[in-house]
Amino acid sequence: MRPQTAKAVREWRTSCAAEITTMVLGGAWKPSILHALAEHDVLRFGELSRQLSDLTDRVLTRQLRELEADGLVRRVVYPQVPPKVEYSLTELGENAQEVLNAMAAWGRSYAAEHDPDR
Amino acid sequence: MRPQTAKAVREWRTSCAAEITTMVLGGAWKPSILHALAEHDVLRFGELSRQLSDLTDRVLTRQLRELEADGLVRRVVYPQVPPKVEYSLTELGENAQEVLNAMAAWGRSYAAEHDPDR
DNA sequence: CAGAATCCATCGTGATACTG
DNA sequence: CAGTATCACGATGGATTCTG
């Protein structure tokens, strides 16, 4: 049986490493989140939420937790009131930018072929 | 929701374009299928099914139809008995190899970081 | 040989309301 | 501020059975 989560894939003898990438980066909003973090270096939760105004806090939280679990995002909690949590890219997350750019480039050429009026 | 400024549009397109790629290439078995087709140029349905022995014919059929609808795979039916159907990559599908290789490379480095003993 | 039909389990995503 | 709790829903993925 084929594993479903990125974590499970790590323990699965896979012959296709590209599938690992789609599992880690394939979340609906993960490219956008990683892109925002790459531009601003460090963002608080509220700042991220404002930048990505199309997704609810609930969804943003989950995507961030997954990215953190996969080692792409660093989460720093300051124990104070009101709470303050800062998110930034790890080295692995920064390395992912290269792939994301390659994927974005192909996605654009694909869209141009299928949707020339954009 | 679409962004308002030109800069925001550029960023939106960048991150959004990566999501297009995950939509087209992100199917559970699509990287494997495209890889098999890239290696053998032309494959019949049964040959593909034997190479990708982990998925049922039903699933393989659907993935192939999606790839065909997305313009990555060419499907040629020979009207004869017994039936013969050949699959091969279109030019778009061949172009995708570059991205798939980039994704596979990152996926491997990701796996190495999380699972150094392999 | 190359599928189609049917049905089902799971997962990702999202809306809403609430909180230390 | 930075989340959590709950519920719901549609899209994939898969198992099984059947066919020109």
Side-chain angles (χ1 to χ4, degrees), chain A residues 70-115:
Chain A
D70 285 336
L72 304 196
V73 161
R74 189 180 299 113
R75 178 168 176 264
V76 180
V77 182
Y78 296 87
Q80 63 186 38
V81 177
K84 175 180 172 182
V85 179
E86 284 183 347
Y87 291 92
S88 57
L89 292 183
T90 63
E91 199 182 323
L92 195 60
E94 286 170 10
N95 294 345
Q97 286 299 315
E98 203 179 331
V99 200
L100 286 169
N101 287 337
M103 291 169 65
W106 188 86
R108 256 179 263 111
S109 75
Y110 171 87
E113 186 128 335
H114 284 255
D115 220 358

Side-chain angles (χ1 to χ4, degrees), chain B residues 22 38 106 116:
Chain B
T22 64
W106 187 85

